[in-house]
């Protein structure tokens, strides 16, 4: 149970690093944007990008603090009584940053705007540095088990300085990538080049500092160095690959996958740090099980975390989706989520003129003109207004769509074809996974598994309905999609099923829980992407896929616990408290 709570805690850390880190990085680019005239356009893009989401991203910080002090109270006490200076500085930075960001937009005098802007920008650099310094102090074992460690050397040391600098650089890289994609969405080529160059520069500098940091860790944090070059090495390599892919996509002016690659690179670095620290919370001592609260408290934490995830995560996804469409926020960004001309279906989305034409009968010539224009627009856009609604002003009614021209539907498969194809693909996936799975193998039976792992028979009982749900959701979504969207959705399903079958081969054929963990993390990312695509086409199909995504997330937690329990740590011995 303690390992499961630790996984939930680390999920919050990763989410805050990726989402909140982008906000902090935007403040860094605000700081070096130049004077009022030269930096007006870059700062305006930062304002319209951050305004809808900057407060919501700090939800993850509150989540992490609550899980830490409830699930691991002794570790929380040791951290807060030793690293209280950087914690207070980070808290002060968050408050000043929020106040500066809010007041800068509300003031009209240039002097006041500069003051609040400076507070926002400087605190956006101070806060991630302090968080990185805290991580360095924990990883290097400078926080005693009993707490009350050295208030200065615990966060002013080579590992902490390296962690703080890397935190600022990583946040800057993610923010510049996000802003580059935002500029592309706004069709602003000038800002695209502006932030693209800065993203590439930030990525290059981050890579260089990371390479130099290897020697720092080898001298100052030998256990962390050994673990990063051992069990966590695949994650570090994948992070580097993700960063390079993100930079290549930026250069190619691609919006699809660019933010995912950049965020994935940073997330993999954080996960690699977590794997390197396992099984300790304080770097070289105080293990997860030793610091854990009683099982009753841990069970409550798990339940609350699951409920909070079900309530908060969909809300945040909706907020980001609306923000990306331009529905919420400030600035002059056009509404991108509406229905375009020529893409409306029968009876969908009347314009204001159409509403007047349908709701006002027997009016003057101006109203007649409105009705005439609305009827023409309705015919052109495929809006089915009945003849009576146009001529008498009666309430509009959705009429059955006119029979389609057979020549226009040639090549469209019957509705049962996608279901058959999805069922066949899912069956092949299940067979491939079952052939690779060997739960009776000796090496697997000798693994140290957590007590919350289900019995072997439960996996078959759960996966059978889950595979059926994938086939049903896939058939529904492919039937609802058309043209290039259908091809993209089919490719997304194929990639997801390939990752699903690949996990069994990574875990059982390679006999590597760590390789299996990498596979489940990739599968979770694919699930998130698949849910997003399916929800745009058929929301009911996305709901059908939710249990599958939830079970895969649980399997990731289970796999991570097995990795943590079956790796012998290599270090020079625990630090005495």
């Amino acid at each position: 149970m303690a390992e499961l709570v630790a996984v939930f805690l680390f999920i919050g850390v990763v989410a805050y690093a990726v989402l909140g880190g982008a906000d902090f990085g935007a403040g860094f680019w605000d700081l070096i944007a130049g004077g009022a005239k030269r930096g007006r356009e870059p700062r305006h893009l930062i304002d319209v990008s951050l305004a809808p989401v900057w407060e919501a991203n700090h939800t993850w910080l509150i989540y992490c603090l609550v899980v830490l002090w409830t699930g691991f109270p002794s570790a929380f006490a040791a951290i807060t009584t030793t690293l209280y200076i950087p914690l207070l500085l980070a808290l002060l930075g968050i408050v000043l940053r929020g106040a500066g960001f809010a007041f800068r937009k509300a003031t009209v005098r240039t002097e006041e705007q500069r003051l609040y802007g400076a507070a926002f920008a400087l605190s956006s650099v101070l806060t991630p540095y302090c968080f990185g310094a805290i991580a360095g102090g924990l990883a290097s074992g400078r926080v005693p088990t009993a707490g009350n460690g050295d208030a200065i050397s615990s966060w002013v040391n080579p590992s902490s300085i390296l962690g703080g600098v890397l935190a600022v650089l990583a946040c800057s890289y993610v923010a510049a990538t996000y802003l580059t994609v935002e500029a592309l969405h706004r069709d602003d080529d000038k800002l695209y080049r502006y932030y693209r160059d800065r993203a590439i520069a930030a990525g290059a500098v981050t890579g260089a500092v990371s390479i130099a940091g290897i020697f720092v860790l080898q001298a100052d944090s030998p256990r962390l160095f050994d673990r990063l070059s051992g069990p966590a090495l695949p994650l570090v390599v994948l992070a580097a690959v993700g960063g390079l892919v993100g930079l290549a996509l930026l250069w190619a002016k691609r919006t699809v996958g660019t933010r995912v690659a950049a965020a994935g690179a940073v997330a993999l670095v954080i996960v690699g740090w977590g794997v390197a620290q396992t099984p300790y919370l304080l770097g070289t001592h105080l293990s997860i099980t030793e610091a854990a609260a009683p099982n009753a408290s841990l069970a409550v934490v798990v339940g609350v975390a699951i409920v909070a995830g079900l309530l908060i995560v969909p809300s945040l996804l909706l907020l980001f989706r609306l923000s990306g469409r331009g529905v919420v926020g400030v600035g002059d960004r056009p509404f991108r989520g509406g229905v375009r001309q020529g893409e409306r279906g029968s009876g969908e989305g009347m314009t204001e003129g159409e509403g007047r034409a349908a709701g006002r009968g027997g009016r003057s010539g101006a109203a007649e003109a409105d009705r005439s224009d609305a009827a023409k627009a309705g015919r052109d856009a495929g809006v089915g207004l009945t003849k009576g609604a146009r001529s008498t002003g009666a309430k509009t009614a959705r009429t059955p769509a006119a029979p389609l021209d057979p020549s226009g539907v040639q090549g469209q498969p019957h509705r049962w074809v996608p279901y058959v194809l999805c069922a066949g693909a899912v069956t092949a996936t299940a067979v491939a996974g079952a052939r690779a799975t060997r739960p009776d193998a000796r090496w697997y039976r000798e693994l140290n598994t957590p007590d919350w792992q289900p019995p072997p028979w439960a996996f078959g009982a759960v996966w059978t309905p889950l595979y059926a749900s994938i086939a049903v959701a896939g058939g529904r979504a492919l039937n609802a999609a058309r043209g290039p969207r259908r091809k993209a959705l089919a490719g997304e399903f194929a990639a997801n099923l390939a990752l699903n079958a690949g996990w069994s081969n990574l875990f059982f054929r390679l006999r590597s829980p760590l390789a299996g963990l990498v596979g489940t993390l990739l599968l979770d990312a694919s699930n998130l992407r698949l849910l997003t695509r399916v929800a745009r086409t058929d929301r009911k199909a996305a709901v059908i896929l939710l249990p599958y995504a939830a079970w895969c997330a649980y399997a990731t937690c289970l796999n991570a616990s097995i990795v943590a329990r079956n790796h012998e740590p290599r270090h020079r011995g625990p630090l005495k408290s």
Side-chain angles (χ1 to χ4, degrees), residues 346-347 350 358 383-387 389 394-400:
S346 177
M350 291 190 300
V383 179
L385 296 177
T386 64
K387 181 178 179 180
K395 292 183 179 180
T396 58
R398 295 188 181 183
T399 60

Side-chain angles (χ1 to χ4, degrees), residues 329-372:
V330 296
D332 57 354
R333 177 176 175 175
F335 175 68
R336 300 179 61 251
V339 183
R340 294 186 179 91
Q341 180 80 7
E343 292 183 352
R344 286 186 255 177
S346 177
E348 180 181 344
M350 291 190 300
T351 63
E352 184 180 356
E354 294 169 22
R356 289 196 303 268
R360 298 178 183 176
R363 293 296 180 89
S364 62
E368 292 292 339
D370 284 326
R371 287 196 296 271
S372 177

Side-chain angles (χ1 to χ4, degrees), residues 92-136:
L92 178 63
I94 291 174
V95 174
L96 290 178
R97 182 178 180 275
F101 184 71
F103 291 142
R104 181 176 68 175
K105 297 184 296 181
T107 56
V108 294
R109 297 179 58 186
T110 304
E111 294 79 6
E112 294 177 347
Q113 289 180 345
R114 287 176 177 172
L115 176 62
Y116 293 130
F120 164 72
L122 291 173
S123 58
S124 296
V125 176
L126 174 66
T127 303
Y129 179 85
C130 290
F131 282 135
I134 291 170

